[in-house]
């Protein structure tokens, strides 16, 4: 019946001299499709995969089954159960935010709300892979639609909210969130590839030339991953933010040292050692002409990081002689090295992924 209806529908395009016949055929085809869709919808609601498979096969033979796939995806419980508003507010004020802007503490793990979302996605895709493979004649196409919807509607919106929230705190918070979400999403992708390939192979029938008629789940997932993060990494956007963050963080640490050396330059112009003159020259080149009371221009007044691991009254410099000669404190040097090492790890995570 589906094949006959499809041929009748194709014949309407060639009927020019009998509009009544064309209209009648079009109405019949529309009624036929709606009836099968209702049967599929009822079987879907009742949890009857065999009846769903029958309807999906009929619609696939009739017009490719696109409408059937859309019903299956649009009415899926994963998309119907939206996050409640109080849960969204809780995510905005999550306790995971506390240490994101503190360079003296290790970067926190990925936000717990994203972990929960990804766990739900793993459960859903793993279950649906088995259902889709047994119901639809072209399972890879259906899984492609489902995965694209998951990434576009659920994952993208969630990551955007996390990044917007962290960006309000500091550039460091934003960069840490970007790197952690990228790494966690990469792990999710690998899990989903396993579910859709190793556990339940999803393959569409080949065309008359033996070529696949749609992208494989692996290809779909790789494309979704690229589309998800390209807006944050393309054109050097990520590196520019990383450089700006390092400039502010390093400047915050060395400003006291640079100001101290500038003060010493003013108060002890004579009898300076070669080493002192060299350090003063470095100080001048790095920070410009500064008065003793003027903070280093490397510091942005709007960026003040709370260093909980260090007492507020402690100093980033160590005075080594009675003439006021000072050096960076060991803790300050260690902080610079740790901050730089963390930035390199983020760069490896985000830049290598972009190049691949």
């Amino acid at each position: 019946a589906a094949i006959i209806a499809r041929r009748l529908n194709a014949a309407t395009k060639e009927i020019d001299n009998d509009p009544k016949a064309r209209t009648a055929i079009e109405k019949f085809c529309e009624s036929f499709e709606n009836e099968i869709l209702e049967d599929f919808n009822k079987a879907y609601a009742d949890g009857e995969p065999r009846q769903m498979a029958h309807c999906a096969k009929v619609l696939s033979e009739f017009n490719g089954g696109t409408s059937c796939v859309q019903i299956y995806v649009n009415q899926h419980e994963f998309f119907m159960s939206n996050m409640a508003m109080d849960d969204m507010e809780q995510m905005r004020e999550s306790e995971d935010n506390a240490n994101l802007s503190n360079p003296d503490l290790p970067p926190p793990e990925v936000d717990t709300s994203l972990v929960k979302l990804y766990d739900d996605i793993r459960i859903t895709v793993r279950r649906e892979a088995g259902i889709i493979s047994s119901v639809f004649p072209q399972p890879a196409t259906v899984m492609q639609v489902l995965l694209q919807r998951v990434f576009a509607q659920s994952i993208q919106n969630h990551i955007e909210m996390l990044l917007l929230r962290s960006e309000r705190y500091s550039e460091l918070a934003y960069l840490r969130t970007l790197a952690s979400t990228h790494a966690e999403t990469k792990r999710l992708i690998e899990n989903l590839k396993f579910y859709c390939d190793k556990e339940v192979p999803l393959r569409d029938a080949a065309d008359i030339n033996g070529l696949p008629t749609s992208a494989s789940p692996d290809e779909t997932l790789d494309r979704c991953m690229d589309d998800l993060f390209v807006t944050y990494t393309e054109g050097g956007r990520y590196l520019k933010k990383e450089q700006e963050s390092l400039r502010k963080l390093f400047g915050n640490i060395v400003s006291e040292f640079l100001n101290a050396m500038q003060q010493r330059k003013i108060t002890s112009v004579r009898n300076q050692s070669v080493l002192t003159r060299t350090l003063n020259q470095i100080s001048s080149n790095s920070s410009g002409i500064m008065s003793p009371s003027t903070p280093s221009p490397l510091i942005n007044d709007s960026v003040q990081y709370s260093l909980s691991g260090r007492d507020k009254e402690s100093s980033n410099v160590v005075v080594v002689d009675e003439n006021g000669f000072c050096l960076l404190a060991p803790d300050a040097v260690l902080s610079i090295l740790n901050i730089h090492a963390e930035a390199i790890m983020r760069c490896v995570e985000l830049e290598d992924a972009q190049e691949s």
Side-chain angles (χ1 to χ4, degrees), residues 12-296:
T12 59
K13 300 177 182 179
E14 302 177 2
I15 300 176
D16 297 328
N17 56 356
D18 194 344
K20 290 184 178 180
R22 184 172 64 248
T23 302
I25 293 174
E26 289 175 349
K27 286 184 177 180
F28 169 77
C29 291
E30 182 180 352
S31 175
F32 176 80
E33 181 180 15
N34 289 336
E35 183 178 342
I36 301 299
L37 283 174
E38 288 179 5
D39 291 343
F40 178 86
N41 205 14
K42 184 177 183 303
Y44 186 21
D46 295 340
E48 299 179 0
R50 293 184 63 181
Q51 181 64 20
M52 289 171 61
H54 171 72
C55 296
K57 182 180 179 181
V58 171
L59 287 171
S60 178
E61 293 174 348
F62 173 59
N63 61 3
T66 303
S67 56
C68 180
V69 174
Q70 292 300 326
I71 284 181
Y72 179 78
V73 173
N74 292 340
Q75 296 187 10
H76 198 283
E77 61 180 356
F78 181 82
F79 304 111
M80 300 297 288
S81 56
N82 294 323
M83 186 180 293
M85 290 303 296
D86 55 345
D87 293 336
M88 299 293 285
E89 290 298 327
Q90 184 178 5
M91 189 187 79
R92 292 190 183 97
E93 304 300 331
S94 170
E95 61 184 8
D96 297 336
N97 307 338
N99 299 326
L100 278 173
S101 296
N102 191 339
D104 279 357
L105 294 178
E109 296 293 330
V110 66
D111 193 275
T112 52
S113 64
L114 189 68
V115 173
K116 182 180 182 303
L117 173 64
Y118 283 4
D119 286 343
D120 291 342
I121 291 174
R122 288 184 178 94
I123 294 172
T124 299
V125 172
R126 191 173 195 176
R127 180 181 66 244
E128 294 306 311
I131 297 174
I132 289 172
S133 65
S134 62
V135 168
F136 293 95
Q138 302 283 43
T141 299
V142 182
M143 181 57 74
Q144 179 182 11
V145 175
L146 178 65
L147 291 173
Q148 289 173 340
R149 179 76 177 274
V150 167
F151 273 81
Q153 179 172 319
S154 300
I155 296 179
Q156 182 175 345
N157 291 342
H158 201 98
I159 289 179
E160 284 179 356
M161 181 172 292
L162 290 176
L163 291 174
L164 286 173
R165 182 192 67 184
S166 62
E167 195 169 23
R168 292 197 297 266
Y169 299 140
S170 67
E171 286 174 335
L172 178 61
Y174 171 86
L175 292 168
R176 283 176 161 180
T177 301
L178 180 62
S180 64
T181 54
H182 186 278
E184 190 67 19
T185 306
K186 192 163 57 176
R187 285 190 286 270
L188 172 69
I189 292 290
E190 294 304 316
N191 293 148
L192 299 185
K193 285 182 178 180
F194 179 80
Y195 301 152
C196 298
D197 184 32
K198 300 296 188 296
E199 284 194 351
V200 183
L202 299 177
R203 297 286 185 274
D204 283 358
D207 61 15
I208 58 175
N209 297 318
L211 300 175
T213 56
S214 66
S216 68
D218 281 14
E219 293 171 333
T220 299
L221 287 166
D222 288 337
R223 181 60 182 271
C224 288
M225 180 73 177
D226 292 340
D227 292 344
L228 190 62
F229 287 96
V230 67
T231 55
Y232 306 109
T233 58
E234 67 177 352
R237 293 180 183 178
Y238 156 68
L239 284 179
K240 290 177 183 177
K241 283 187 175 292
E242 192 72 75
Q243 291 167 357
E244 182 65 16
S245 174
L246 289 175
R247 185 185 72 83
K248 292 177 180 178
L249 291 171
F250 289 168
N252 191 45
I253 294 174
V254 304
S255 61
E256 186 179 358
F257 168 74
L258 295 178
N259 286 332
M261 295 307 298
Q262 188 67 23
Q263 172 69 16
R264 190 167 187 273
K265 176 182 177 181
I266 294 173
T267 57
S268 57
V269 177
R270 299 178 181 177
N271 300 323
Q272 293 180 336
S273 66
V274 175
L275 177 60
T276 304
R277 289 197 297 271
T278 302
L279 289 173
N280 283 334
Q281 184 178 1
I282 294 174
S283 175
S284 298
N285 292 338
S286 301
S287 59
I289 303 301
M290 296 182 297
S291 66
S293 60
T294 303
S296 169

